[in-house]
Every structure is written in C-alpha cells, then in structure tokens.
Amino acid sequence: MIDFKQEIANTISNAIEIEAKELKEYIEIPKDSKNGDYAFPCFRLAKELKKSPQAIAEEIKEKIKIDEKYIEKVEIAGGYLNFYISSTLLTNEVLEEIENQPQYGSSKIGKGKNIVIDYSAPNIAKQFHIGHLRSTVIGGALYRIYKYLGYNVTGVNHLGDYGTQFGKLIEGYKLWGEEYDIEKDPINELTKIYVRISDLCKKDESVLQACRDNFKKLEDGDEYCVSLWTRFRELSLKEFQKVYDLLGSEFDSWNGEAFYSDKMPEIISILEKTGKLVESEGARIIDLEDSGINTPCIIEKTNGSTTYATRDLAAILYRARNYDFDKALYVVSYEQTLHFKQVFEVAKLLGIDEKYTNGLEHVAFGMVLLPTGKMSTREGNVVSLNELLQESISRAKEIIEQKNPDLEDKDEISKKVGVGAIVFNDLANSRVKDEIFDWNQILNFQGETGPYIQYTYVRTKSVLEKAGIAENMKLEGVQATALQDEFSQNIIKLLYNFTDVLVQVTDKNEPSILSRYLIDLAKSYSVFYNENKIMIEDVNVKNARLYLTYAVGKVLKIGCNLLGIQMPNKM
Ligand code: ARG
C-alpha cells in the first residue's frame, strides 16, 4: 500500500530541505478527521528554523508541490498543516490490499531482528494463578504481533522449577507420598504436601535440614531427587498445558530456572573478576548504590546457594549467546520492578555487548483486583486460572443460551466467547494499570469487550451470508466511488491504519493499542450498519457496502487472533 506518511514527508522535505526521515516521525493522525487525515505539527521545527509555527506552516504551504493524485488539499490550522488524502485513492488502496493480502497488515519491518519474549513462567507444583494469566496473555499477544511484523521471535517460558522448595517437596513426598494422589490432581496434592512439610519444618529442625540436604542433592544430580523433581515438573506442566490449550499459548523454549543451575559458576566467576562481588553478612552481593539503586543485588546466599537474580543473569548471558537478541522482553508483574532494575544493572558487568544490555526491557503490568482485593497466594484467596476460565465459559454459555437457544455448537462457541472475554479484559487497558475483575463487565455483549467485537464479527458474517456470499468475497466490480460517505470513509481510514497500529504496539509493547483499535473498528461498523442500508436496489452501492463489510470482518478476525481471541461464526 502507498505509505501516505512517507509521501507527505517527502513533499515537505522537498520544500524545506529537512530530511524526510525526521519529518515523518513528527506526522500525526488527527483525532478528529475534520482536521485532515494527517497533520504536521510545525512547532516541532520552530527551534531548528528559528521561526514561529504559524510562519513555518505558511512557508511550507507556499513552497510545497502537491501531487494531486495523493493529496486533495492542505490547510493551515494553528501551527499545524493538515493534509487531506484523496479518498478514492485511499479507498482503492485499502480494498485492493484486502483482496490481495491474506495476511492483511503484516509487514517485513522486523526482518533480521531477534526478539526474545519471556512470559507466563508459572511455578512448578504451585497454582497457575491469575497473576500469571496477565503475563501469558500480554506476552502471547506481543509474541504473535512481533511475528506478524516479520521479527524473528523466541517465546520463552522461564518456569519457576528451581529452589529450596523442591527440597521440601521431595522430603514431604518421601514421608507421605502414598497418601496423596499426585497423578490425579497434581497441583493441589503437591500444594498440600508442601504446606504439611513446611509446618513440620517449623517444629523440627532436623526435618528442615533434611530438606536442605535434598536440595543440595538435587543440585548435585542425585538420581532419586532428580527423578522426583522431574516427575513433579512433568505433572505440573501437564496441568498448565490445559490452560495453554485454552489460551492457544505457544513457546519455543521451556528452559526454566533449573536449566541455568550448571551455568551459575560462570556467572559467579565473571562477577568475581569485576571486583564488585563483595561479602556482606555472609552473603555475596553487588552494591548498586552508584547506579541509584538502594538495594544491593544478592548473588549468593549465606548458605552458598544462588538466587532468582543469579539465574536471571545466567539467562541473559545464555540468551545473548544463543538468540543474539535485539530486544529481550520480560513480561512480569510490576511487583518485580526492583528485581529487574537490579538484574539489568548487574548484567552490564557480564562483559556482553552493549547491544544486549540496552535491549533488556521489563514489560511490567498491574495487579488483577477482585472486588474483594488482590488475588494472591500470600493472602490465601488463590483463584486458579483453569477454574476461572471454566467459569467464564459456563457464564458465556448461559448468556448464549438465553440469546440464541437454537444455536448449534454451543459448547465450542461458549469456549471462544468465554475465553475471549477474559483475554480481552486483560488487554483492554494500558498494561501498567491494575485491572478490576468484574464478571458483569467482562461478559457484557454491549460494552467495550471481547464478546462485543466477536458479536460485530458475527454480524458481518450474517450480512454476507444473507447476501449469498460464502467465504471470500471478490473485489471485482466494486467501486470506490460508492464508499465516499463519512461512515464508510471512517472505516476505510481505520483499515488503512492497521499496520501502523501494530507497529505502535511493538514500539510501546502495549497490546491495548490494538484492543482499542478493534473496539473503534467494531463501533465504526455498527454506526455504518445503522446509517447505511446494505441490501438496496443500487447494485454498485450494495456491492461496495458488502465488500466493506467483508473487509471489516477480515480485519476484526486478524486483529483478534493476534490478541489471542478466536472468532465464532455465529453466537
Ligand atoms: N516464576 C516467576 C514468578 O512466578 C516469574 C518469572 C519471570 N521471568 C524471569 N525471567 N524472571 O514470579
């Protein structure tokens, strides 16, 4: 498709001899289309040109040579130059691209760039809870969107499969393994064992010592300990997979914390050589005061064992070497902000290229709040993600049964709607915001929700079906001139901006930009549908409106799929 931003940047550049590349970055898309399709904010050049924005606007307008094929008119408003794109050209561009590109909106912008996304990362033998849901959903959306833009993406599930708790679990299982059916209900049964052994450890110092010994044995590769650990891990993963199947999550690597256990000595030795690894109260730490971080990073505990941070450092080194990443994203709750600040700072001591340390980014997100408060393990009110998804599915089914009792495949559809509702809710707002979890809102078919977008998609399907169009509609004979009304044009402009929206998502690692866009697109279609009759006598107009309906359906589906939401054909 024609890159109109580029065309405008070139046009201005020819007039004032500033590089088009710089100018392009300044160009905005006005909120109100009355102010044109693109706006150039002249104040951005005020310093450089030593003139007022108004004067710059006038000068540019005077000097530019407009190619009328692209641009209908240019107007000055305040310190802005507003550009109006030829709407027939724009319409034709969009429709042809819809016709010819099954992967509408995809791009090669990321070609040759490697992105590592560390997401989900639940802890073995513990509940996969709603806090991990956000990581899985946000990380999954980013994973798909980066890929769609041509990046080479590696999704890593950095499982919490290491640490002293495994020494305890092994001890508990040794003592009472027979009493628990860990094959049937692994997470809950292992949790029970863990709670029971932890209690015993508090009462009996020798049991605690046995647990510590187990962990040491595990680290040293003791056969019995390793085989139990492997079993706990496999059973847990099988449980987690139920959630991943529902969400459609994909990972390229399942290297969890344990994977780095034999890579720790190298980290310690590199850090030793920097002279910055110092003793403090029996532990070994790196002081980060000089970098403005008041809490030191603990590299080795008093008992000589390594920490969560050391394992993350080993992971950085490993990922730099094996994935040669341009960006490594960590989709983890903002509760771990300090942890990542420390780790990213210490990573500068690992002797890796600056490219890598500059590419590290904590993609933080807010808490999920139940009306009753935070959902967390520490407070005991853990909500399991599987239960939550199942509840959403059954609530969706109730609503669907009421609305459309004769529908076939209700189970399949409820699954898409129930899961989609939760996924969308997780991505609806800027990720750093805490999220309030409210069933009535999440499943409201009229609200700004997943089901609302799915519903709009289903409507496009049924419009096409009534017109006798089965799957792909053909563009042949559709005339752009029949789509010049404002409701159609609003949609055309949104469709044109799709790639730009995806690029913005990756610029900010913020999938909510796509969620907002899909809401806007669905709303614009609802307005279009209410204002413009589709099945009318005039064949030209009818066909054009049907094609636009088809285009909206196509982009809603692609967009939702990128977020991790499946589309029902009926609901
Ligand atoms: N397992 C950790 C937790 O549940 C999250 C791990 C995030 N990834 C990382 N590389 N630290 O809190």
Side-chain angles (χ1 to χ4, degrees):
M1 272 201 290
I2 297 173
D3 185 346
F4 288 105
K5 258 192 195 172
Q6 189 66 51
E7 289 302 326
I8 293 169
N10 293 346
T11 311
I12 303 176
S13 172
N14 289 336
I16 57 169
E17 286 169 8
I18 290 177
E19 285 224 28
K21 191 167 175 269
E22 178 188 339
L23 298 172
K24 189 180 177 189
E25 277 170 24
Y26 300 153
I27 296 174
E28 300 169 2
I29 298 174
K31 289 221 165 54
D32 186 344
S33 61
K34 287 191 183 66
N35 294 322
D37 301 303
Y38 294 96
F40 184 79
C42 297
F43 71 88
R44 293 293 203 117
L45 300 177
K47 242 193 185 158
E48 205 167 324
L49 300 177
K50 299 196 183 67
K51 281 181 199 154
S52 74
Q54 183 70 23
I56 296 170
E58 274 158 24
E59 186 188 329
I60 298 178
K61 189 170 183 220
E62 186 87 352
K63 285 189 186 161
I64 49 173
K65 288 191 195 64
I66 288 171
D67 185 341
E68 275 161 18
K69 190 178 147 228
Y70 298 114
I71 295 164
E72 245 154 41
K73 60 175 181 180
V74 185
E75 276 175 0
I76 299 177
Y80 283 86
L81 271 173
N82 294 336
F83 292 83
Y84 297 76
I85 301 292
S86 154
S87 60
T88 22
L89 177 66
L90 183 72
T91 308
N92 276 324
E93 279 290 302
V94 168
L95 298 184
E96 272 164 33
E97 187 76 6
I98 290 278
E99 174 87 351
N100 298 325
Q101 174 57 280
Q103 307 217 292
Y104 184 80
S106 65
S107 133
K108 297 203 167 41
I109 198 176
K111 205 167 168 233
K113 293 212 182 76
N114 302 324
I115 311 288
V116 174
I117 308 184
D118 178 319
Y119 68 110
S120 193
N123 301 316
I124 296 299
K126 286 196 192 154
Q127 200 67 259
F128 191 148
H129 62 77
I130 191 155
H132 294 121
L133 167 74
R134 287 210 84 184
S135 175
T136 311
V137 167
I138 296 171
L142 291 174
Y143 179 80
R144 286 179 287 265
I145 293 168
Y146 272 99
K147 275 197 168 172
Y148 205 63
L149 295 181
Y151 291 89
N152 176 34
V153 192
T154 308
V156 185
N157 197 338
H158 187 83
L159 295 167
D161 56 2
Y162 202 69
T164 43
Q165 74 269 29
F166 288 95
K168 285 190 180 173
L169 268 179
I170 291 169
E171 192 58 24
Y173 190 81
K174 242 199 245 172
L175 293 172
W176 319 295
E178 311 278 275
E179 296 171 39
Y180 297 87
D181 193 349
I182 66 165
E183 298 286 335
K184 191 159 159 262
D185 187 6
I187 307 289
N188 285 327
E189 295 294 284
L190 288 169
T191 307
K192 281 182 202 155
I193 297 180
Y194 185 74
V195 171
R196 189 167 164 193
I197 189 78
S198 299
D199 275 348
L200 190 59
C201 283
K202 278 182 211 138
K203 292 183 207 125
D204 189 339
E205 181 69 26
S206 71
V207 178
L208 184 62
Q209 193 49 49
C211 295
R212 288 192 184 126
D213 293 345
N214 286 339
F215 183 59
K216 182 87 182 71
K217 280 192 209 155
L218 180 65
E219 283 195 289
D220 296 341
D222 172 87
E223 209 173 303
Y224 176 74
C225 289
V226 171
S227 78
L228 271 188
W229 173 84
T230 311
R231 189 149 157 245
F232 297 157
R233 190 177 188 273
E234 274 167 10
L235 286 173
S236 303
L237 283 182
K238 220 167 103 193
E239 227 15 61
F240 297 162
Q241 194 56 44
K242 291 182 188 160
V243 172
Y244 293 142
D245 285 344
L246 281 173
L247 294 175
S249 315
E250 275 180 63
F251 302 95
D252 304 291
S253 161
W254 295 82
N255 289 340
E257 292 183 42
F259 176 77
Y260 299 99
S261 67
D262 64 353
K263 297 168 182 62
M264 243 73 90
E266 185 183 2
I267 299 296
I268 306 274
S269 112
I270 295 173
L271 293 177
E272 271 168 352
K273 282 184 199 125
T274 64
K276 301 228 160 127
L277 188 62
V278 295
E279 297 265 320
S280 164
E281 297 165 32
R284 298 220 281 172
I285 63 159
I286 303 240
D287 188 284
L288 298 168
E289 199 99 35
D290 288 347
S291 320
I293 303 169
N294 294 329
T295 328
C297 185
I298 302 174
I299 301 294
E300 217 176 59
K301 292 193 212 163
T302 27
N303 63 3
S305 67
T306 53
T307 62
Y308 177 51
T310 333
R311 293 190 282 280
D312 259 326
L313 288 164
I316 290 172
L317 189 59
Y318 180 85
R319 291 169 189 178
R321 284 175 182 163
N322 291 278
Y323 305 131
D324 184 27
F325 62 79
D326 294 278
K327 280 199 231 176
L329 309 179
Y330 293 79
V331 187
V332 186
S333 148
Y334 67 52
E335 285 183 312
Q336 296 194 26
T337 300
L338 175 63
H339 166 77
F340 286 108
K341 268 196 185 153
Q342 295 175 322
V343 167
F344 294 169
E345 198 52 43
V346 178
K348 293 180 186 161
L349 304 174
L350 293 178
I352 46 177
D353 197 291
E354 254 187 32
K355 164 190 162 179
Y356 300 120
T357 45
N358 290 337
L360 299 168
E361 190 175 334
H362 178 201
V363 178
F365 56 79
M367 295 280 128
V368 182
L369 305 166
L370 274 176
T372 51
K374 192 174 117 183
M375 297 189 186
S376 97
T377 26
R378 254 164 275 146
E379 280 153 63
N381 55 338
V382 198
V383 177
S384 114
L385 191 44
N386 201 11
E387 282 164 27
L388 188 91
L389 289 166
Q390 295 305 340
E391 176 163 359
S392 189
I393 293 169
S394 67
R395 282 176 184 253
K397 195 166 173 195
E398 258 169 51
I399 299 175
I400 289 167
E401 239 146 29
Q402 262 175 18
K403 280 193 195 285
N404 199 347
D406 302 327
L407 199 63
E408 282 170 34
D409 295 332
K410 278 201 203 85
D411 284 330
E412 202 44 43
I413 294 167
S414 313
K415 202 157 128 188
K416 289 176 175 167
V417 175
V419 173
I422 294 218
V423 169
F424 191 85
N425 183 57
D426 243 336
L427 299 172
N429 297 308
S430 124
R431 61 181 154 75
V432 289
K433 279 201 189 153
D434 285 343
E435 168 191 314
I436 301 187
F437 196 93
D438 174 356
W439 284 118
N440 293 329
Q441 211 176 313
I442 292 171
L443 281 160
N444 181 350
F445 282 37
Q446 264 89 49
E448 297 189 345
T449 60
Y452 168 69
I453 299 175
Q454 288 168 322
Y455 193 74
T456 310
Y457 173 75
V458 166
R459 173 178 280 171
T460 66
K461 284 269 164 197
S462 81
V463 167
L464 294 170
E465 197 180 304
K466 280 195 194 112
I469 296 155
E471 270 304 312
N472 284 346
M473 188 174 173
K474 286 273 152 270
L475 183 57
E476 213 183 324
V478 172
Q479 285 161 14
T481 45
L483 294 172
Q484 296 303 310
D485 64 286
E486 76 170 290
F487 310 110
S488 308
Q489 281 300 304
N490 278 342
I491 292 178
I492 291 289
K493 283 173 196 160
L494 281 168
L495 295 177
Y496 178 78
N497 289 337
F498 187 51
T499 309
D500 205 55
V501 165
L502 299 180
V503 171
Q504 286 176 45
V505 169
T506 55
D507 280 345
K508 302 199 171 96
N509 295 313
E510 183 62 84
S512 66
I513 297 171
L514 176 56
S515 318
R516 297 299 327 159
Y517 168 88
L518 292 170
I519 290 287
D520 287 346
L521 183 57
K523 279 189 182 165
S524 302
Y525 185 74
S526 302
V527 175
F528 165 88
Y529 181 87
N530 291 331
E531 298 287 338
N532 290 343
K533 280 220 168 56
I534 297 180
M535 300 309 281
I536 49 173
E537 293 281 310
D538 186 328
V539 182
N540 273 340
V541 177
K542 182 179 96 178
N543 273 339
R545 288 181 180 169
L546 282 171
Y547 199 85
L548 197 60
T549 298
Y550 164 70
V552 168
K554 178 164 169 171
V555 175
L556 286 178
K557 182 170 182 176
I558 292 174
C560 276
N561 287 173
L562 287 170
L563 292 180
I565 297 169
Q566 299 307 313
M567 292 306 219
N569 287 329
K570 291 202 161 64
M571 70 191 263

